[in-house]
Amino acid sequence: MKAQTLFIWLGFLSLLAQQACTDESFSQIVKIEIPEHKSLPTLGMDLRNGDTLAQIIVNKSLGILDQNEFAPIDNIKIQLLRNGALLTDNFLLAPGDQFFKAQLPAPIEHTPGVTYRVQVEVPGVGTAFAEQIMPAKPMVSSVVFSPDGGVSPDGERVDEIKVTIQDVGGEKNYYALDLIEGWFEIDQNGDTLFQTYSSYLETNDPVLSPGTPYALVFSDEAFDGGSYTARTFKYGNTGGDGFALVRVYQLTRDAFLYARSLSQYWNSNGNPFAEPVTVHGNVVGGYGAFILSNYLEFRIQ
């Protein structure tokens, strides 16, 4: 009886081995069935306190195998609401531009707790919306700029910027930093032009990380309810012959997650050893992100 059972098991294992040792079993190609794609509205909007112009990208999603390029869609309806009341729906797309733009009746307020909602209707595709609640302004106790006051990882002297924040305890808070450099120019009509650009900030601080569309982002997970000094640095002559401003933001949770994941996505793009990154979104009925932030600005140069 034991011999018969052993014979049956040996025959079974032999059959499994024959089935396993096929040409396909050694193949490095895995066939994945891609589900059919249903187009949904897509949108991207970044709104900050003080903005007088609202800008948004709206289109429809394309499948991974779709060979078509994104193209402008006619008759898209866009509404921006504040606490349920219409703020503007006068969004226009200029020829050759990818952003729908609308002049706001008044600058975006810094009042915390105000709910902003953007909703879009894409003909033949559907409707989608996203909401954000304006966070409070960050509480900044000091901003210290030290020309050649820092040292880079390779030992080079760099301009150091230290920002000290007082965090509110008992709640999740999210922050970002930007360095804006600029200069003034006089045009041919004698008018003064204000030119600015965002500079790249680096850090050795493990609490801070890159975050697009800001320079650096971080949460209060490591210092909830306490004071924290974020240390950053920049190569080159900060401000040059013009000026430099440090912006300290308080972000919504969606803004923090979107900024951090988008930066991780771009950093991993084209790297065969990087893990896939999914960019955070908060759009209901579609894809994309609507983010909101409240900031303070400090002139350092």
Side-chain angles (χ1 to χ4, degrees):
M1 187 67 179
K2 290 182 180 180
Q4 184 179 6
T5 302
L6 179 61
F7 177 78
I8 293 174
W9 273 109
L10 289 174
F12 179 67
L13 293 174
S14 176
L15 180 61
L16 286 179
Q18 292 176 16
Q19 291 179 344
C21 296
T22 63
D23 291 339
E24 292 187 359
S25 66
F26 294 101
S27 174
Q28 297 180 352
I29 300 175
V30 178
K31 295 180 180 180
I32 300 176
E33 197 71 30
I34 299 177
E36 183 178 352
H37 178 76
K38 178 183 177 182
S39 286
L40 293 174
T42 64
L43 67 89
M45 190 176 197
D46 176 5
L47 208 57
R48 310 179 185 192
N49 66 297
D51 283 351
T52 58
L53 183 71
Q55 303 184 79
I56 183 172
I57 295 178
V58 182
N59 213 288
K60 66 177 182 179
S61 64
L62 298 176
I64 191 171
L65 299 180
D66 200 322
Q67 299 298 313
N68 295 320
E69 297 290 336
F70 287 103
I73 300 175
D74 295 329
N75 301 319
I76 288 178
K77 296 181 180 179
I78 307 170
Q79 291 183 317
L80 179 63
L81 299 92
R82 180 184 184 274
N83 284 340
L86 181 65
L87 192 59
T88 184
D89 60 357
N90 190 28
F91 285 87
L92 299 175
L93 182 65
D97 199 350
Q98 60 178 333
F99 285 95
F100 290 85
K101 300 178 181 180
Q103 198 69 38
L104 298 173
I108 296 296
E109 298 180 12
H110 61 78
T111 308
V114 174
T115 299
Y116 289 90
R117 175 186 175 112
V118 61
Q119 53 192 41
V120 302
E121 181 180 343
V122 181
V125 179
T127 61
F129 72 90
E131 289 186 346
Q132 291 281 269
I133 298 175
M134 178 64 79
K137 281 185 178 292
M139 293 192 295
V140 181
S141 56
S142 71
V143 175
V144 179
F145 171 61
S146 303
D148 293 331
V151 179
S152 70
D154 54 7
E156 183 179 347
R157 277 289 175 184
V158 289
D159 293 346
E160 184 180 54
I161 301 171
K162 295 187 292 185
V163 178
T164 301
I165 291 175
Q166 182 60 51
D167 184 66
V168 177
E171 61 185 51
K172 289 288 186 181
N173 294 306
Y174 306 92
Y175 303 98
L177 300 175
D178 259 341
L179 177 64
I180 310 298
E181 297 187 79
W183 66 93
F184 297 100
E185 289 183 352
I186 307 298
D187 67 8
Q188 59 185 4
N189 298 320
D191 296 326
T192 301
L193 301 179
F194 184 58
Q195 305 287 343
T196 63
Y197 61 95
S198 296
S199 292
Y200 188 68
L201 284 177
E202 298 190 52
T203 184
N204 297 318
D205 188 340
V207 172
L208 280 62
S209 60
T212 307
Y214 315 100
L216 298 166
V217 296
F218 55 107
S219 73
D220 67 349
E221 188 173 353
F223 55 92
D224 180 37
S227 178
Y228 188 78
T229 298
R231 303 172 69 103
T232 71
F233 64 87
K234 174 190 173 292
Y235 291 95
N237 181 20
T238 303
D241 295 328
F243 59 90
L245 306 168
V246 172
R247 284 183 180 176
V248 186
Y249 299 82
Q250 186 145 309
L251 310 177
T252 61
R253 177 178 180 273
D254 286 317
F256 170 75
L257 294 176
Y258 171 77
R260 188 176 63 176
S261 62
L262 182 59
S263 182
Q264 291 171 343
Y265 171 81
W266 287 120
N267 288 336
S268 66
N269 192 28
N271 183 354
F273 302 105
E275 294 185 5
V277 177
T278 300
V279 179
H280 176 78
N282 63 340
V283 176
V284 179
Y287 303 103
F290 167 41
I291 62 175
L292 196 62
S293 57
N294 203 345
Y295 70 86
L296 294 171
E297 194 170 75
F298 302 88
R299 185 160 183 160
I300 60 172
Q301 183 77 323

